[in-house]
Amino acid sequence: MELSYSPRYSSTTRSSNGCWTCRLRRKKCDEKHPVCDTCAALLITCYYDQSKPEWMDGGVRQEEMAERLKCEVRDTAHLRRGERSAHLSADRVSVADATTGEWIMLPQQASRGQTSRDDGMEPRPDTSLTSPRRGADCTLTNGDSRGSIPFQRSDSHLLMFYLDNLFPFLFPFYRPCPLQGGKTWVLEMMLSSPVVRQATLCQSSYFFNLEQETTNHDAAWEAVLTQTGGAFKVLRQALQVIDGSEITGHMHGAVRIMVSIMQVRRFEIAISSFTNCHVHLNASSALFKNILGSAGVVEPTSPTSSFNAVMNRLGPPSWVLPTQSAQIPSAEQAAFRFASALLILDDIVASTVLQEQPKLYEYHRGLFGDIDSIDPPINLEVVVGCQNWALLQIGEISALDAWKQQCKRAGNLDVMELVHRATAIKHPLEAHLTRLENNVPSLPEECMSPLDVFTADYSKQSRTPAGQTGLVTRVWAHAALLYLFVVVSGWQPASVDVRYHVNRIVELLTRQISAPALLRTMVWPFCVAGCLAEPAQEAHFRRMVEVLQPPGVFGTARKALEIIENVWRNRDVGDTANRDLAACFRSHGDLVLLV
């Protein structure tokens, strides 16, 4: 957040109260908080801790930090050259009009005139070995800069609305332990990164207007477009910085961009605008691969080693308790793990629509672990409520379907080989589902601390979503078996196996999962079951969506019901023998991302 701070002294001569960056570089410091003008002008990290950093030891660590700062100055040199110049104002910042990177597009509904609210630039060079105060994200501007807009009080309200209401609603299963940082990274990313902040404001503005049930819909939508236009412009400019350069020097900024694209994708899905989903998913997948590929792991590499190397580069921990008993992950570490989980989920769901092997398929085993892994690098259960093994197998089924389609086009499909490959997926999937259904559901491991007492209704409510993950996983697993059945045996809604799995999903959703709103985290399995439902079950599926109010908050659930209704209307129409789930999903567009 760009707020104005007065210097503690009017003098700009070197003093012992200057930031540690200027002291180490032996430069004058104007002592402004939280970022001095010297560091801001160079786009480098300003370390303004009250206590002396550990790396100021007069020895090797101090020399290493000095060299790191030299690299930061060198890496940001291209941002300070040419017509564009760094500019930091006490109360507002400016940004140039975007000119390239047009792969980022506005939602289809946003065709009416839009304005932009840009207040930052990404990415930033790597941070230090200790707990820095990040420098302000200075912007790039040219001589024709227009649209300088201050950071308004309404933005603060929208950001807090996102933290207090929207984020818990969108990700009800994500409850990181306070002693491990909690959701601090979300706040830190919003305040330190204009790219993330603008993407957040898009979502928050939209949902805030929905909650207020405003009568002036045109004005509300224009406000949303203002936020959206700003987010896309900042994203385009941020991508220009890393375009054509080594991403290694922009690792932190690249992660912020990846988080921002994820947020924009979620915003588009929320407003049922799927036109650009494919483009944005491709962009974030390519960025993810580039980040892992630049981790500097010595050959031969593996997804696990590359992911861990990236996490190390994004460190060190942002804060260490005085007792050294706990380390808080840096904002970029937590954000990268969170965004990677959502990206892989989106990629898997998209592959079931496109009938293509998931773009990130090569990373599944390494990042999810095998089907029995205990502590994988990415744990989908804590982010989206579904255990890794279920989504891992859906990815395998999608890859199988892609192979089947390729063989059919070539005219050489071997049905025996298809069954053989399907059996290798079906057996472990059924075994894990049976084990989950027979065992008494247990709560996933959560951090217990004295801080829990500050949650007013902790004992009654805060554990409810976490305690539902076993049921949520079962819903996904039953849907996976339906998906596998259709891939292997074709469209047979009257099959005994199909009837069994559809009935189990309906029972879980209507009788066992306690919060109806959790349906929005299971839209894909809901849609799979609905497409294969019998006429007698139609009312159950309609009621599950009708109870979700207000309608605009549950756009994906309603989109899924539209797809289901279309399948019901055409039960006996067309070539039912060659019907499959991908064709059902695509009836409302090339890529309707049901997440």
Side-chain angles (χ1 to χ4, degrees), residues 352-355 580-592:
T352 67
V353 181
L354 300 171
Q355 292 185 301
D580 55 30
L581 286 167
C584 298
F585 296 148
R586 289 198 298 266
S587 65
H588 279 246
D590 291 335
L591 178 55
V592 177

Side-chain angles (χ1 to χ4, degrees), residues 174-451:
Y174 185 66
R175 293 161 181 259
C177 174
L179 294 181
Q180 296 172 0
K183 299 172 187 173
T184 307
W185 67 270
V186 182
L187 175 63
E188 187 174 348
M189 294 287 281
M190 289 192 303
L191 296 183
S192 68
S193 170
V195 172
V196 176
R197 180 164 62 248
Q198 287 299 142
T200 302
L201 289 173
C202 283
Q203 297 183 84
S204 195
S205 179
Y206 173 75
F207 282 99
F208 187 78
N209 283 308
L210 284 178
E211 179 157 307
Q212 284 194 315
E213 298 182 350
T214 178
T215 57
N216 192 348
H217 295 290
D218 287 340
W221 182 247
E222 288 301 325
V224 172
L225 295 188
T226 295
Q227 307 292 357
T228 307
F232 284 122
K233 277 196 172 183
V234 173
L235 271 173
R236 283 195 291 267
Q237 288 193 312
L239 287 164
Q240 290 177 47
V241 175
I242 62 174
D243 183 38
S245 64
E246 288 291 334
I247 201 173
T248 306
H250 302 295
M251 189 75 77
H252 291 71
V255 168
R256 295 173 189 173
I257 293 172
M258 180 177 160
V259 171
S260 301
I261 297 175
M262 177 271 292
Q263 288 182 311
V264 169
R265 195 165 63 247
R266 282 297 188 274
F267 170 69
E268 290 177 319
I269 294 168
I271 63 176
S272 298
S273 176
F274 299 97
T275 305
N276 306 316
C277 274
H278 201 177
V279 177
H280 294 164
L281 184 59
N282 286 344
S284 51
S285 298
L287 185 57
F288 176 79
K289 290 181 179 180
N290 287 339
I291 292 173
L292 289 193
S294 64
V297 179
V298 179
E299 297 289 347
T301 63
S302 69
T304 304
S305 58
S306 296
F307 187 87
N308 291 336
V310 169
M311 293 294 286
N312 289 334
R313 288 185 62 85
L314 294 173
S318 62
W319 182 44
V320 181
L321 294 180
T323 60
Q324 304 292 319
S325 60
Q327 293 187 348
I328 308 301
S330 72
E332 286 78 11
Q333 284 176 322
F336 183 62
R337 194 183 298 276
F338 181 82
S340 297
L342 293 180
L343 173 60
I344 294 177
L345 168 66
D346 291 359
D347 181 47
I348 290 173
V349 171
S351 70
T352 67
V353 181
L354 300 171
Q355 292 185 301
E356 299 174 354
Q357 179 174 287
K359 290 178 175 59
L360 303 178
Y361 180 76
E362 62 185 292
Y363 301 98
H364 287 187
R365 294 286 176 180
L367 299 183
F368 286 174
D370 59 35
I371 200 165
D372 292 307
S373 287
I374 298 175
D375 188 24
I378 290 179
N379 186 350
L380 287 170
E381 184 177 11
V382 302
V383 177
V384 297
C386 180
Q387 295 170 15
N388 283 6
W389 58 267
L391 282 162
L392 181 67
Q393 296 304 87
I394 293 175
E396 293 292 341
I397 300 168
S398 177
L400 177 65
D401 191 21
W403 172 83
K404 174 188 173 183
Q405 299 305 320
Q406 183 180 10
C407 291
K408 286 178 68 176
R409 287 190 295 269
N412 61 358
L413 177 61
D414 184 340
V415 177
M416 295 298 291
E417 177 64 18
L418 174 65
V419 173
H420 174 72
R421 295 187 180 198
T423 302
I425 299 172
K426 181 181 180 182
H427 286 171
L429 186 54
E430 288 182 330
H432 275 73
L433 178 57
T434 301
R435 186 187 312 167
L436 193 59
E437 291 181 330
N438 290 338
N439 293 342
V440 177
S442 59
L443 291 175
E445 291 187 11
E446 292 187 68
C447 174
M448 297 293 295
S449 80
L451 298 179

Side-chain angles (χ1 to χ4, degrees), residues 448-469:
M448 297 293 295
S449 80
L451 298 179
D452 293 339
V453 72
F454 298 116
T455 305
D457 54 354
Y458 181 81
S459 61
K460 295 182 180 179
Q461 160 174 325
S462 69
R463 291 183 177 276
T464 300
Q468 302 276 293
T469 58

Side-chain angles (χ1 to χ4, degrees), residues 38 106 126 155 163-164 188 201 208 290 333 365 390 501 557 565:
T38 302
L106 286 170
D126 286 322
D155 294 340
L163 283 172
D164 292 342
E188 187 174 348
L201 289 173
F208 187 78
N290 287 339
Q333 284 176 322
R365 294 286 176 180
H501 293 297
E565 295 268 13

Side-chain angles (χ1 to χ4, degrees), residues 479 482 491 493 498-499 501-503 505-506 509 522-535 537-538 540-542 544 560-561 563-568 571 581 584-585:
L482 284 172
W491 196 259
V498 170
R499 297 271 49 80
H501 293 297
V502 170
N503 290 337
I505 291 174
V506 170
L509 291 176
M522 296 169 280
V523 176
W524 184 85
F526 168 79
C527 193
V528 169
C531 289
L532 291 162
E534 294 179 308
Q537 295 174 311
E538 292 180 6
H540 292 295
F541 285 88
R542 291 191 182 104
M544 279 188 268
L561 185 59
I563 293 172
I564 293 169
E565 295 268 13
N566 184 64
V567 174
W568 292 343
R571 274 195 177 98
L581 286 167
C584 298
F585 296 148

